[in-house]
Amino acid sequence: MLDSRTRERLEAKVRDFNTQLAEIRDNPQLSELGKREQIRELYDQARPVVEQLRAEAAKTTQTTVADLERRLFGLADNDPTAVISYRDAADRVAAIKSPAELGELMERAHRSGDATLLRAGFHHAFRKSRDPLGSDDWDALVGEYVEHNPTAGDDLAQLQHLTSPRGKTAQFAEMLATSIARPKELDDRHQPSDQVPETHQVEHLTR
């Protein structure tokens, strides 16, 4: 998703482009060829700016998602023992197929204070909850974890907003609203009326 500053810059660039494009098209003093040349120059100047802003926004989103996933599902430190414990816990929960079985495991981890296993279970439940055909009980496990760990709530909400199908649909709509369409005048099939096509003389051969 675009941050507010980047979105404002993109929207301003799109408005400016569309305004100048309309002015060129409506200029009676320009020939069709002249309009096409000015439109091409305008488009070639605007497109790299929009693409750069969009690339920067995409990179920021990727970084944000990675940070959120690390805070929600990763380790607090890189201690070798903690890393091995987390891998073992992740392997253990990966084999679980039902929400009921995972719920029992997470409950035992909660009672015993096994935060590593509990977090691995939370991650597994979150992944399963993203499956459109999955059970709602996976969502219930995610919600229960957040209830006991309220600090994870905001991060989880932001991650869901950025990565859910609904969030991706919103990103697509946002992209359409902040994009510059290639003007029809630049279509290779479009030929200005004052551009005289080449003519070929046909020689009639006689014997």
Side-chain angles (χ1 to χ4, degrees), residues 97 101 163 189 197:
K97 305 300 181 183
E101 184 182 356
T163 61
R189 294 170 298 177

Side-chain angles (χ1 to χ4, degrees), residues 35-140:
K35 289 180 181 180
R36 185 183 190 187
E37 290 175 345
Q38 288 198 16
I39 288 173
R40 182 182 297 281
E41 182 179 356
L42 174 65
Y43 180 69
D44 288 345
Q45 290 177 351
R47 183 179 61 176
V49 176
V50 171
E51 289 180 348
Q52 181 179 355
L53 288 172
R54 195 174 299 286
E56 291 173 356
K59 184 177 181 180
T60 298
T61 298
Q62 291 174 354
T63 301
T64 300
V65 168
D67 289 343
L68 290 169
E69 290 178 338
R70 190 179 302 110
R71 290 202 298 268
L72 286 167
F73 312 125
L75 295 171
D77 57 58
N78 293 322
D79 177 72
T81 301
V83 171
I84 293 173
S85 296
Y86 187 81
R87 287 176 179 173
D88 289 343
D91 290 341
R92 185 177 177 183
V93 301
I96 295 178
K97 305 300 181 183
S98 73
E101 184 182 356
L102 182 62
E104 292 176 1
L105 180 66
M106 292 177 69
E107 179 61 28
R108 291 198 300 272
H110 176 69
R111 288 199 302 266
S112 64
D114 190 342
T116 298
L117 182 58
L118 187 60
R119 177 169 286 203
F122 168 53
H123 192 189
H124 186 61
F126 175 77
R127 289 200 304 266
K128 289 291 188 179
S129 71
R130 309 306 296 274
D131 185 349
L133 302 179
S135 168
D136 289 341
D137 291 339
W138 296 112
D139 274 324

Side-chain angles (χ1 to χ4, degrees), residues 12 131 145 156 186 192:
D131 185 349
Y145 177 89
L156 180 62
L186 304 185

Side-chain angles (χ1 to χ4, degrees), residues 133-180:
L133 302 179
S135 168
D136 289 341
D137 291 339
W138 296 112
D139 274 324
L141 290 176
V142 171
E144 186 175 349
Y145 177 89
V146 172
E147 183 179 348
H148 290 289
N149 300 271
T151 56
D154 290 341
D155 284 346
L156 180 62
Q158 187 177 2
L159 180 62
Q160 289 173 327
H161 178 64
L162 291 173
T163 61
S164 68
R166 180 177 298 180
K168 291 183 180 299
T169 299
Q171 291 177 47
F172 180 72
E174 188 176 59
M175 181 189 71
L176 293 178
T178 55
S179 295
I180 290 178

